[in-house]
Amino acid sequence: EIVLTQSPATLSLSPGERATLSCRASQSVSSYLAWYQQKPGQAPRLLIYDASNRATGIPARFSGSGSGTDFTLTISSLEPEDFAVYYCQQRSTWYTFGQGTKLEIK
Amino acid sequence: EVQLLGSGGGLVQPGGSLRLSCAASGFTFSSSAMSWVRQAPGKGLEWVSAISASGDSTYYADSVKGRFTISRDNSKITLYLQMNSLRAEDTAVYYCAILGPGYYFDYWGQGTLVTVSS
């Protein structure tokens, strides 16, 4: 099983700041990695697929990068609605998710 | 607008059974692979099962293989998950999701809670 490790577990930032979230895979997943956003009491929402492609309707402030084992989700300037939990997910070998990064307001 | 309405969750005793349903609308269900993903209370996400658009191919996580069965009825535009021999560790919110052409979970339903407890 491919294990995805996200860091940090919690990230405390203020609106307007830049957020950088990391996801590391236990073995190469090529570019087969996605990022999801989940707000309390809601279902996850697909943000980024194939490491760097924004899903339909996702604002340009969200961007993804990386390949192989190291990936990054960047939010260029945080809006109040961006504070949530973010998960990475690989589909190279079946499907596994990272444990999540909670992005909280500082 | 894509809608996925999950139902069928509830409280069940260990060893019991439950069938979840997911009613779909707003997209071509018969052309879409579908999946179930679960989330234990306060925990992360775990893929459970997937099914091809036709229903001919099914896939399961090792944690549920032999106990859960995924199926679909394209005429009723509904996805199902039959869960047998339930365990406490199966307690979770179960989400149905569209498995898009890129094999990611493109859209998610609102989830239905399954609690396994005596």
Side-chain angles (χ1 to χ4, degrees):
Chain A
E1 176 182 310
I2 296 176
V3 177
L4 298 179
T5 302
Q6 293 186 239
S7 61
T10 303
L11 184 58
S12 300
L13 294 170
S14 300
E17 291 192 294
R18 181 184 188 90
T20 303
L21 287 67
S22 295
C23 177
R24 176 164 290 179
S26 59
Q27 63 189 78
S28 177
V29 299
S30 186
S31 295
Y32 299 133
L33 189 109
W35 291 93
Y36 299 83
Q37 177 193 67
Q38 187 178 33
K39 297 180 181 180
Q42 295 185 18
R45 176 176 70 148
L46 178 65
L47 299 175
I48 301 287
Y49 66 94
D50 287 344
S52 61
N53 296 294
R54 276 190 302 277
T56 302
I58 301 304
R61 64 181 182 273
F62 291 91
S63 64
S65 63
S67 65
T69 61
D70 290 296
F71 300 86
T72 300
L73 173 69
T74 302
I75 310 171
S76 59
S77 179
L78 285 166
E79 297 288 341
E81 63 266 27
D82 298 337
F83 292 91
V85 178
Y86 292 82
Y87 294 95
C88 57
Q89 174 247 323
Q90 65 83 22
R91 66 102 165 153
S92 175
T93 304
W94 296 111
Y95 308 101
T96 54
F97 293 85
Q99 82 282 12
T101 290
K102 182 180 181 180
L103 178 57
E104 64 176 25
I105 299 177
K106 186 174 181 179
Chain B
E1 179 191 4
V2 172
Q3 288 199 33
L4 298 167
L5 296 177
S7 61
L11 175 63
V12 61
Q13 291 189 339
S17 298
L18 212 55
R19 187 176 85 154
L20 305 183
S21 300
C22 175
S25 63
F27 65 102
T28 307
F29 182 76
S30 59
S31 299
S32 302
M34 299 294 295
S35 189
W36 291 96
V37 179
R38 68 184 180 184
Q39 185 171 36
K43 302 297 184 182
L45 300 165
E46 180 189 17
W47 172 71
V48 172
S49 183
I51 187 167
S52 64
S54 65
D56 289 347
S57 299
T58 58
Y59 311 90
Y60 299 94
D62 288 343
S63 58
V64 306
K65 199 172 294 183
R67 300 188 298 122
F68 290 12
T69 302
I70 190 171
S71 63
R72 63 191 297 159
D73 186 333
N74 286 346
S75 66
K76 294 184 178 179
I77 324 178
T78 302
L79 175 72
Y80 303 101
L81 185 67
Q82 177 67 43
M83 303 185 295
N84 299 331
S85 303
L86 283 161
R87 307 165 180 167
E89 54 265 36
D90 296 318
T91 294
V93 173
Y94 285 74
Y95 295 101
C96 59
I98 299 172
L99 197 54
Y103 299 98
Y104 297 104
F105 307 103
D106 287 3
Y107 293 96
W108 301 57
Q110 90 285 7
T112 185
L113 176 62
V114 173
T115 303
V116 184
S117 175
S118 55

